[in-house]
Amino acid sequence: QGEFGALCPLHGAVFGSCCDMHFSQGSRIRRNKIEEITFKNYYTAYVTVRLLRRSPGQEAAAKWWTALRDLPLMDNPHTEGGSQDYFSIHRTQVEPDHVVSVRLILRQPSSAWLTFNLEEIKIFRFMEPVSSSHSKSVMRFPVFHPVVPVHVLCWFSQGLPDPQTVSSSIQQMWALTEVMQTNQTTASIGRFDVSWTQDDRLCPQEVLHASVSRFILVVLMFSFI
Amino acid sequence: MDEGTELCVTIGQIVQRLKGTHLHSQIERQAKECLHQPDIRLESLKEDVRSFLRTSGEHTQDIYLQLPPSHPAAPPEHLKEPLAYMRKAQASWEKRVLKSLNSMSSELGVPLARRRPTLEQKELTNKWNEMGTDEPDLSRFRPVYAPKDFLEVLISLRNPNHDSSEEVSVRSHWGLIQIPLNVRDVPQLRRAYSELNMATGQLGIDDHAHVHPVVSEQDSAAAQQYSRQGCPTELRADLWALILNSTNQPQDVMHYEQLKAGVIQHDLLVDNLIYKDVKLTASNDDYYFVFEDFLYQVLLCFSRDTAVLDHFKYNSATPPKSYMEGVIPFHGFSMYVAPLCFLYNEPSKLYSVFREMYIRYFFRLHSISSSQSGIVSLCLQFERLLQTHLPQLFYHLRQIGAQPLRIAFKWMVRAFSGYLSTDQLLLLWDRILGYDSLEIVAVLAAAVFAFRSENLMEVTSLASAEAVLADLSTLKVMPLIQIFLFATAI
């Protein structure tokens, strides 16, 4: 298994950042099969893998193709779980053949972190199995443990929560809205626009914020009546 | 790397991650039984295991996938603790403790370790069972650190990548711990601790709640499940030993005797700290003073046990290299042993149960880590529970300068030992063993605040808040936890 990817420094923008890795022209394209991509996470919540692939034997232009979309790396974007863990993406999860370039798109919806990136990125070349030596395949490590933080979402998905529930945790929501307000950023989002409303994995802070506004709106309406 | 070394590393990793699960104790017991079978020979054992792994590759892989994930690229220190800043904090704390121990050694002119003269050895052998009668002059020694010092370290913990530009007042978290770890809220706790709900019989509330003798079957998983609803007093000793897989085999007794010989031969500076700690805590306690001699025996042996060092493989801490032992006792350390004295009257058995309890649970209470049972998580969980469910109380206490954690920390760091009455404490520890987690300790701490909230709302200073919460010996643990988790509207 040869390692042929280079390390590439990534710096987090506000919501997302991306990194391209090109394979040197010297390596014959048809042999660019990837076995595994491993990396160490540093506060990236989701990673999307896009591959620039060229069909073998054709002179057609290479095409970008999304191999993996929004793979969760952290249990919850706002808390530490998975924030500094090692991960690997195995060839069974993507189809990484005839690859010219690999693009990793990183996203972090939480404003809690100052920066996020991936470290120690290594790409391993796929080797055709030579013999039936079992010793390597015995210990195939589990690759991902996706845990989507849905518990917060379920809570709000059926409309407004009941007043008692809200009152017990209203102070926390209030504090969150304060944080959201002071946290309005002017930094550019970069080339990848992130629209959270279309995503089913909403950022809990945004949900809370929206919910609080709705709650306040209802209270105001009642006071007019 | 040749196949042999690779296999060793892999096996080492698996064992490390299995350690502390009931699967581990069952495998260990099976292995012990297998050793007595005539068709297994020690000489060929290694080769047999290797060929078994090769032939049953697929099956092994299935089991392996069940284990919590770990990555082959992860360096060893990452397995101990994934967060770099936590590792750093733990390392600098250890350095500080060691430094203070070393300076105590040079100040007092007491060597860290010395060989006892023959006469002294004889003397100690004779009074092994009544070490408490000895009254050495310990006035010059002081505990290396107290829970209060450790709390200050935890409060100053920061994640360098965490945005802390806002004022503290608008922070969503009012507490002292500022590390964004993931802790469970009440609905999640309700699901995780479903056996504690009101409808299920609990020992400690109902008598004859559930009687199902699992001891005879020697099934530690069943014993663990059973323990979630509390152990009857007469069965507790056996059940705990079963869960912890401390079977007190002849080799365990022998190991204890070896440690005892070590105590008799060598005198350590740490011994004085142990003496001092027992005198300061357990000997002054109404429940535990009778066990003074037991405590010396167990703790002195513990300080010399190299098997204890194994837990550093999965603990964020690293063992001090400069002398024989691994764990530096702090003020109140002996209270981890004291309640166990009610269960086991044979020193070797008591010792092996305590050691197992320590390397599974108690070490987490005084080392900095991001583990869910770690003290940082417990503190955060306590504060979150209190803030979410008793915001008024939290706000009031914060305003008068009585941060709740400053009061509750001493309870949690000792897992409530020495604060609750012993029957209640053992009921609490039943649940720690049953759920294989210390989380319940944080829940109880929050429940105590909830229970005394009316009185606490009237206090105006930290001292009076402490006075309200000074005596917990009349509290009943299980009703408090149940009311807090299951009967409070959220």
Side-chain angles (χ1 to χ4, degrees), chain B residues 154-295:
Chain B
L154 298 187
I155 292 171
S156 63
L157 263 183
R158 290 287 180 279
N159 178 345
N161 193 35
H162 197 246
D163 191 0
S164 49
S165 51
E166 286 94 21
E167 297 255 319
V168 177
S169 55
V170 298
R171 274 239 164 266
S172 54
H173 186 53
W174 297 343
L176 295 169
I177 302 292
Q178 295 294 337
I179 299 294
L181 293 173
N182 203 7
V183 291
R184 294 197 252 202
D185 56 14
V186 166
Q188 287 170 313
L189 286 169
R190 279 184 188 170
R191 278 194 294 278
Y193 291 86
S194 57
E195 288 91 347
L196 299 186
N197 72 22
M198 308 281 217
T200 319
Q202 299 292 333
L203 255 144
I205 300 175
D206 329 276
D207 291 331
H208 317 292
H210 59 317
V211 178
H212 179 267
V214 286
V215 182
S216 53
E217 289 160 31
Q218 291 293 304
D219 181 349
S220 57
Q224 193 166 29
Q225 181 67 33
Y226 184 86
S227 177
R228 292 181 173 193
Q229 283 162 262
C231 300
T233 316
E234 65 276 14
L235 284 180
R236 184 173 282 125
D238 292 334
L239 282 169
W240 284 19
L242 190 55
I243 297 170
L244 297 166
N245 203 30
S246 304
T247 41
N248 205 26
Q249 301 281 320
Q251 59 265 39
D252 295 330
V253 179
M254 205 168 77
H255 181 62
Y256 175 76
E257 290 301 325
Q258 280 169 352
L259 294 171
K260 185 175 154 184
V263 177
I264 289 167
Q265 276 167 14
H266 293 274
D267 184 25
L268 303 184
L269 169 67
V270 176
D271 293 356
N272 294 307
L273 298 173
I274 291 170
Y275 270 114
K276 179 91 181 181
D277 186 49
V278 173
K279 292 272 181 224
L280 283 177
T281 55
S283 303
N284 284 334
D285 193 290
D286 291 350
Y287 298 109
Y288 302 122
F289 72 95
V290 284
F291 300 122
E292 197 179 338
D293 298 328
F294 267 173
L295 293 176

Side-chain angles (χ1 to χ4, degrees), chain B residues 20-22 25 193 220-231 235-246 340 343-344 352-362 373 415 425-441:
Chain B
T21 63
H22 59 257
S25 22
Y193 291 86
S220 57
Q224 193 166 29
Q225 181 67 33
Y226 184 86
S227 177
R228 292 181 173 193
Q229 283 162 262
C231 300
L235 284 180
R236 184 173 282 125
D238 292 334
L239 282 169
W240 284 19
L242 190 55
I243 297 170
L244 297 166
N245 203 30
S246 304
L340 299 174
L343 302 182
Y344 306 96
S352 62
V353 168
F354 165 65
R355 193 183 68 191
E356 217 36 52
M357 287 286 273
Y358 181 81
I359 62 181
R360 283 198 196 184
Y361 307 109
F362 297 145
S373 283
L425 182 78
L426 294 173
L427 287 169
L428 178 72
W429 286 14
D430 280 344
R431 272 72 182 186
I432 293 179
L433 286 164
Y435 289 96
D436 197 23
S437 161
L438 289 162
E439 222 177 3
I440 199 82
V441 171

Side-chain angles (χ1 to χ4, degrees), chain A residues 36 38 40 42-43 75-76 78-81 83-88 111-116 120 134-142 145 151 164-165 167-169 171-172 174-176 178-179 182-183, chain B residues 3 6 10 13-14 17 53-54 57-58 60-61 64-65 69-75 78 82-85 159-163 166 169-172 174 179-182 188 384 387-389 391 489-490:
Chain A
E36 200 175 25
T38 69
K40 180 177 183 277
Y42 190 76
Y43 296 96
D75 301 344
N76 175 339
H78 303 289
T79 57
E80 294 277 7
S83 62
Q84 298 187 24
D85 279 1
Y86 284 81
F87 291 94
S88 52
S111 60
W113 316 110
L114 298 173
T115 172
F116 61 97
E120 301 175 34
H134 221 306
S135 64
K136 272 259 186 287
S137 60
V138 167
M139 294 309 164
R140 178 115 298 142
F141 284 82
H145 49 115
H151 53 274
Q164 209 172 6
T165 317
S167 62
S168 76
S169 46
Q171 47 76 28
Q172 209 155 6
W174 163 76
L176 278 172
E178 288 294 304
V179 172
T182 51
N183 224 356
Chain B
E3 201 192 337
E6 200 176 332
T10 317
Q13 274 182 343
I14 297 175
R17 278 158 52 195
L53 278 177
R54 209 170 286 146
E58 292 301 309
T60 326
Q61 198 168 326
Y64 200 73
L65 287 173
S70 147
H71 200 279
H78 187 272
L83 303 178
Y85 68 93
N159 178 345
N161 193 35
H162 197 246
D163 191 0
E166 286 94 21
S169 55
V170 298
R171 274 239 164 266
S172 54
W174 297 343
I179 299 294
L181 293 173
N182 203 7
Q188 287 170 313
R384 286 272 163 85
Q387 183 181 348
T388 316
H389 300 289
I490 53 157

Side-chain angles (χ1 to χ4, degrees), chain B residues 296-311:
Chain B
Y296 291 131
Q297 290 171 20
V298 168
L299 286 168
L300 293 180
C301 288
F302 180 75
S303 68
R304 285 154 178 84
D305 194 348
T306 46
V308 176
L309 297 178
D310 281 349
H311 91 278

Side-chain angles (χ1 to χ4, degrees), chain A residues 157-170:
Chain A
S157 56
Q158 306 101 11
L160 277 177
D162 73 274
Q164 209 172 6
T165 317
V166 175
S167 62
S168 76
S169 46
I170 191 73

